[in-house]
Amino acid sequence: MNSVNYADRICIEIKKKRSHAVIGLDPIIERIPTFILKDAEQNFGKCDEGAAAAFIAFNQLIIDAVEPYVAIVKPQLAYYEVYGAAGIDAYWKTVEYAQKKGLLVIADAKRGDIDSTASAYARSFFGDAFNEWQTPKKVDSLTINPYLGSDSLEPFVEHAISKKTGLFILVKTSNPSSGDLQDVVTNTGTIAEQVAQLVHNYALRDIGISGYSSIGAVVGATYPEEQQVFREAMPYSLFLVPGYGTQGGKGKDITNAFNEDGFGALISASRSIIFAYEKDKSETFEQVQLSIKNAVNTMNADINTALKDVGKLNW
């Protein structure tokens, strides 16, 4: 428990920004501000390259707006993959820009496969120092799907620990039908509880000076009662908590995801933040940025107030 790991970096940055928020960078072309779309169409036309240019411009606007107030952003890869190679390029340019601004990046890719394929996925996100053909790049952490079993998790865990990066393994997701599989009861508890045990066992392999592991879990904000069960099952794991904001989660719904030290949970919101300008009817660059800043500050205040109310605010 003496080495500095990914979780330690998270805890340091969270305390510095006084924010447990994670901002999802999930651009939807139809919802990007008109002034950005016009520039992209004029320079590239309505095509993959035009969409990619719009994504980069919009993401840079968002990152500049939120950087003083949050420590982490989370681009969801699917929104970029829609636009082929140009979209993937926009994804990595977004990662690079966020990291240059001092933000940690969670790649929300939910990858999962076995054996050498899982290792290839891990190398694609965490880099490979021994591959002279690969451009040096890596994200800070990655979401993965555990439902192929432990041999699909091991390569990711090995790469994450060796490269001082992190993982968030799906345990209990925020979507309404998650219980179709995750809540199925077996002789040793629900399937989600069995996955939580796997996560805990992996977490024990890399606990940093903060007391947290680089191996974390995804536990949704839409199931606040179950958060406590999973918190007890995975005391050393950081929780990535989706479902805040547009999906209905509020500050009061996420306090069980935190440990008594006021750490342990990263609260994710995307559409309620990055498209806040729509509600405000903002039209200019400055107005859009202000709407996003206000939405982030409201989120931070909501979470911090909720934690203070239960005695878990640590600043």
Side-chain angles (χ1 to χ4, degrees):
M1 300 177 74
N2 295 318
S3 61
V4 175
N5 68 1
Y6 169 72
D8 297 330
R9 292 164 56 205
I10 286 276
C11 291
I12 290 168
E13 293 302 315
I14 283 174
K15 198 157 190 177
K16 185 187 301 182
K17 298 291 181 69
R18 297 195 169 196
S19 170
H20 298 281
V22 174
I23 306 305
L25 300 178
D26 305 347
I28 300 170
I29 197 69
E30 297 82 6
R31 300 182 69 178
I32 287 178
T34 302
F35 61 86
I36 292 177
L37 291 180
K38 284 182 177 179
D39 281 349
E41 183 177 357
Q42 182 177 354
N43 292 322
F44 298 95
K46 287 186 176 180
C47 58
D48 289 351
E49 290 73 17
F55 283 6
I56 293 168
F58 188 41
N59 286 342
Q60 289 179 348
L61 180 156
I62 296 166
I63 289 166
D64 289 344
V66 306
E67 178 272 324
Y69 312 109
V70 304
I72 311 157
V73 292
K74 181 179 68 67
Q76 162 56 261
L77 199 65
Y79 291 93
Y80 302 82
E81 290 176 329
V82 171
Y83 299 98
I88 298 297
D89 184 57
Y91 181 88
W92 282 107
K93 284 180 177 175
T94 295
V95 170
E96 181 182 18
Y97 189 79
Q99 291 174 333
K100 282 183 176 179
K101 290 288 185 175
L103 297 175
L104 296 167
V105 178
I106 300 172
D108 194 354
K110 299 182 178 70
R111 293 296 191 253
D113 215 317
I114 60 171
D115 210 40
S116 59
T117 310
S119 181
Y121 275 136
R123 294 197 310 275
S124 72
F125 286 98
F126 296 144
D128 184 351
F130 302 104
N131 185 352
E132 62 184 12
W133 292 84
Q134 184 184 35
T135 301
K137 64 182 184 299
K138 69 175 183 178
V139 296
D140 299 290
S141 57
L142 173 68
T143 61
I144 61 172
N145 191 324
Y147 286 93
L148 275 74
S150 58
D151 59 348
S152 73
L153 297 175
E154 187 67 33
F156 289 106
V157 173
E158 288 181 355
H159 278 79
I161 292 174
S162 68
K163 293 184 177 298
K164 302 293 185 183
T165 52
L167 294 175
F168 293 97
I169 301 171
L170 302 182
V171 174
K172 179 60 180 174
T173 57
S174 59
N175 56 304
S177 63
S178 64
D180 291 352
L181 294 178
Q182 295 165 19
D183 293 351
V184 172
V185 179
T186 72
N187 292 334
T188 55
T190 66
I191 290 176
E193 288 168 350
Q194 291 186 57
V195 176
Q197 185 61 54
L198 273 177
V199 173
H200 178 61
N201 292 340
Y202 284 125
L204 293 173
R205 289 166 51 173
D206 186 52
I207 299 176
I209 58 176
S210 62
Y212 288 95
S213 173
S214 59
I215 311 303
V218 175
V219 179
T222 48
Y223 302 98
E225 298 81 10
E226 295 178 56
Q227 288 170 17
Q228 187 61 42
V229 173
F230 293 119
R231 175 42 69 203
E232 292 173 1
M234 299 176 285
Y236 304 115
S237 289
L238 295 173
F239 285 8
L240 177 60
V241 183
Y244 183 94
T246 301
Q247 293 185 56
K250 294 180 171 54
K252 63 182 178 59
D253 301 318
I254 50 82
T255 56
N256 286 338
F258 289 82
N259 278 318
E260 293 304 317
D261 64 0
F263 286 103
L266 313 175
I267 313 305
S268 176
S270 54
R271 288 167 289 173
S272 60
I273 304 297
I274 68 174
F275 300 127
Y277 80 93
E278 294 175 333
K279 183 179 178 181
D280 297 340
K281 295 182 169 44
S282 302
E283 296 181 356
T284 67
F285 182 97
E286 292 77 12
Q287 289 171 342
V288 171
Q289 274 206 328
L290 181 60
S291 293
I292 292 170
K293 288 178 182 178
N294 289 341
V296 168
N297 286 329
T298 298
M299 179 180 178
N300 281 336
D302 180 42
I303 294 169
N304 290 341
T305 298
L307 290 175
K308 184 178 180 180
D309 288 346
V310 296
K312 292 183 178 181
L313 188 67
N314 56 16
W315 47 69

